[in-house]
Amino acid sequence: QVQLVESGGGLVQAGGSLRLSCAVSGRTFSSRAMGWFRQAPGNEREFVAVISWSGSTTNYADSLKGRFTVSRDNAKSTVFLQMNNLKPEDTAVYYCAAGRGRFPLNYDGDQGYDYWGQGTQVTVSS
């Protein structure tokens, strides 16, 4: 069983930064890709970023490239999402997810992941 707990969300002004963390329990963390998704009110959950099991490969939603950075610390079973120059449209609940393997082919969809955290709220004020 894999459990994921996100933290680091909160209220920030536009232009500010936040760093989200996702602590993962379970022995398979270092062999799985990890993803970040978000869901704004009234919207479907959308892909944000993914990082491979080793951390050597990352991918981002096109609209977020250059502002968001995903990283991981396998020794601490934790994945991070650094978010800079935040905008009001980034307001959402952010979820981390454990991938089906080292780098799922469908990394930008829910089907690429089999464990999810409860989410952390990020609110960006204008």
Side-chain angles (χ1 to χ4, degrees):
Q1 187 71 13
V2 178
Q3 293 183 324
L4 298 83
V5 179
E6 302 96 336
S7 61
L11 174 64
V12 63
Q13 289 187 333
S17 297
L18 281 175
R19 189 192 196 204
L20 305 183
S21 299
C22 175
V24 183
S25 65
R27 294 178 293 175
T28 62
F29 173 80
S30 60
S31 64
R32 292 176 178 265
M34 295 295 299
W36 286 96
F37 288 73
R38 68 184 184 183
Q39 187 169 19
N43 291 353
E44 293 186 352
R45 188 157 59 190
E46 64 176 358
F47 168 74
V48 171
V50 62
I51 185 166
S52 64
W53 67 282
S54 65
S56 61
T57 303
T58 58
N59 211 327
Y60 301 88
D62 287 343
S63 62
L64 302 177
K65 289 179 180 178
R67 294 196 297 124
F68 287 18
T69 303
V70 61
S71 60
R72 66 190 294 161
D73 184 340
N74 282 352
K76 297 182 178 180
S77 296
T78 303
V79 62
F80 306 96
L81 184 68
Q82 177 68 41
M83 306 185 294
N84 297 329
N85 189 23
L86 283 162
K87 304 175 180 181
E89 52 263 42
D90 294 319
T91 294
V93 177
Y94 284 72
Y95 299 90
C96 68
R100 298 181 187 272
R102 296 185 173 189
F103 199 84
L105 291 176
N106 49 349
Y107 62 83
D108 57 351
D110 286 11
Q111 298 81 3
Y113 304 85
D114 49 14
Y115 295 98
W116 295 81
Q118 293 299 308
T120 186
Q121 176 70 47
V122 171
T123 302
V124 184
S125 63
S126 57

